[in-house]
Amino acid sequence: MIDKNYRQGDAKSEPFGQDAMLNPAPEQKIPEGSTTPQVAYQMVKDETYAQTQPRLNLATFVTTYMDEYATKLMNEAININYIDETEYPRVAVMCQKCINIVANLWNTPEQIRWKTGALAIGSSEACMLGGIAAWKRWIERRKKAGKPYDKPNFVISAGYQVVWEKFATLWGIEMRQVPLTRDHTTLDIDRAIKMCDENTFCVVAIQGVTWTGLNDDVEALDKALDKYNAETGNEVCIHVDAATGGFIMPFINPDKKWDFRLKWVLSISTSGHKFGLVYPGLGWVVWKDKQYLPADMSFTVDYLGAEVTQVGLNYSRPAAQILGQYYNFIRLGFEGYKNVQYNSMQIAKYLHEQLSTMSEFMPYSPEVPNPIVTWLMKPEIQKTAKWTLYDLQDKLAQHGWMVPAYAMPVDIEDMVVMRVLCKQGFSRDMCDELLHDITAAVAELNALEYPTPTRIAMEKNVPIVAKSFNHTGK
Ligand SMILES: *Cc1c(COP(=O)(O)O)cnc(C)c1O
């Protein structure tokens, strides 16, 4: 006898009481039948449940905290595709207003109503666009001069983020790396200039080196390139990869010239989702003037008599981040951004100072130009300790903290460092908690009788496979 009142799904709606919850989650094939939304939700939610809390993720540069209104605004825009600008013309205009604001924060000399720039999904796309434009401008110059243009190169420090390796590999461009050394912890300008030749289309300067948080000296580079270009007749320009610094420098160090105030800086990129304080994925790239954006890279639309220029590698993309960025600009204003960045800087400096007082550690650099703290073991401790920073990483993970340990790039790869990103949402109290957990973990590690496996591996020079944190992107 069939029970007519029995309806699958709502009769037993408690997800944990349902048969479906006993089945393993699909891995290879789409399931034959459907399940209730409650069960599907629970299964998907639970798969990520054991992960760390995003705000304890001190490895990432990317925003893990926004206020309730920003979150609401972005959630409400979740079904809007940015590219449908005929249907959502105000989103395109709002995007252009963000580009204007960013361009002016970087002291653009451009006087036209809509400044020359582009929306990107992150710094990666923004760097690609800046790099491609510089490459195309060089091709044009070479063509005009009747010279070959089949061996392009660009110069960058070995502390580059992985996007530049992708840029070089995907477009068939030579990447000339200036090594980082213990003496030159940022771009060595003399060596960079020596690497330039007639096939060099740009030098990439980094504001907020991913590995260390330090800044390349763009002003000195600009001066050196000006001299080099005058002597050689070349036109090597600068693209600034300001993924982090683009939203730190204007607020924290406005007098320092690293941006469009410098002659050879023709494009700058940043991550709106890093210190632009927006959830992922958002990036911006701005050119000093329309003439530096090759015409065939841009696509112009008329809106209410205004020309809105669009450039990008992607087509469809979420619009919510633009709303989040514009909200932040209105909500925080210059003063608000300055206050948030200032606090992050203060907390970074505090952490830097506290770690420096511990007998085991030393900071990678005496300066903290961005809210990023990088430290290592003192060499004399490293010699005798029975543990490594990889062990400290594991200990901290037991308390939920994601703090990566990793080896530095070529030439200083024997140096293992640890890094903390002090972002909005990482409060002074949380910093003290972290310090407490570090101190306790170090005490436990110091009490070990036998060396840890990573310590033994280090001794034997066996490469240690670091946990796959997204710290260097490598
Ligand atoms: C994070 C970062 C990138 C890549 O940025 P995404 O926004 O993650 O695409 C590029 N360059 C530097 C210096 C970075 O720190």
Side-chain angles (χ1 to χ4, degrees), residues 125-150:
E125 188 188 6
C127 289
M128 287 268 181
L129 293 169
I132 292 168
W135 174 35
K136 285 174 86 66
R137 294 195 304 267
W138 170 83
I139 291 175
E140 273 316 299
R141 284 199 305 276
R142 299 286 290 179
K143 274 187 182 164
K144 268 199 193 126
K147 291 186 175 157
Y149 49 90
D150 57 339

Side-chain angles (χ1 to χ4, degrees), residues 242-461:
T244 297
F247 273 103
I248 295 293
M249 299 295 281
F251 303 107
I252 294 299
N253 204 354
D255 296 330
K256 173 96 183 143
K257 290 189 183 134
W258 64 277
D259 54 14
F260 292 124
R261 286 169 289 184
L262 301 174
K263 181 174 173 186
W264 292 98
V265 172
L266 302 187
S267 52
I268 304 175
S269 53
T270 196
S271 296
H273 58 211
K274 289 184 179 176
F275 290 88
L277 310 177
V278 180
Y279 286 139
L282 182 68
W284 302 106
V285 54
V286 175
W287 286 270
K288 191 176 216 162
D289 187 277
K290 223 184 168 93
Q291 64 171 301
Y292 301 119
L293 175 62
D296 54 357
M297 278 177 72
S298 70
F299 154 73
T300 303
V301 281
D302 281 327
Y303 176 68
L304 294 180
E307 280 208 332
V308 176
T309 302
Q310 274 197 354
V311 184
L313 297 179
N314 285 1
Y315 190 68
S316 294
R317 67 176 80 212
Q321 286 78 359
I322 297 165
L323 275 65
Q325 183 77 82
Y326 196 55
Y327 168 85
N328 275 351
F329 287 147
I330 295 175
R331 157 77 186 108
L332 295 172
F334 188 89
E335 206 56 37
Y337 262 98
K338 190 172 158 181
N339 291 342
V340 170
Q341 316 302 41
Y342 176 81
N343 280 8
S344 297
M345 288 297 299
Q346 287 307 105
I347 290 166
K349 284 178 187 166
Y350 172 70
L351 179 61
H352 184 264
E353 199 180 281
Q354 293 299 307
L355 287 166
S356 308
T357 66
M358 292 182 70
S359 54
E360 288 80 5
F361 303 133
M362 55 188 265
Y364 178 76
S365 159
E367 333 147 67
V368 189
N370 290 296
I372 299 166
V373 183
T374 314
W375 74 95
L376 58 156
M377 262 194 197
K378 282 184 186 156
E380 63 270 24
I381 302 288
Q382 170 121 31
K383 272 190 208 121
T384 55
K386 295 195 174 64
W387 52 279
T388 67
L389 292 178
Y390 297 106
D391 300 309
L392 180 56
Q393 170 185 315
D394 278 348
K395 285 264 180 211
L396 294 176
Q398 289 168 13
H399 298 273
W401 303 110
M402 293 288 119
V403 181
Y406 53 92
M408 293 292 284
V410 281
D411 294 323
I412 45 172
E413 70 265 41
D414 57 329
M415 196 190 260
V416 175
V417 301
M418 250 184 155
R419 189 193 62 200
V420 164
L421 262 290
C422 300
K423 301 181 292 278
Q424 173 172 230
F426 181 58
S427 63
R428 164 64 195 254
D429 275 353
M430 287 168 77
C431 184
D432 276 327
E433 266 180 67
L434 174 70
L435 279 163
H436 173 268
D437 289 340
I438 291 176
T439 309
V442 166
E444 272 180 52
L445 290 165
N446 278 341
L448 287 177
E449 207 169 322
Y450 299 105
T452 63
T454 65
R455 174 69 214 192
I456 294 167
M458 208 175 250
E459 206 104 311
K460 291 189 187 152
N461 245 334

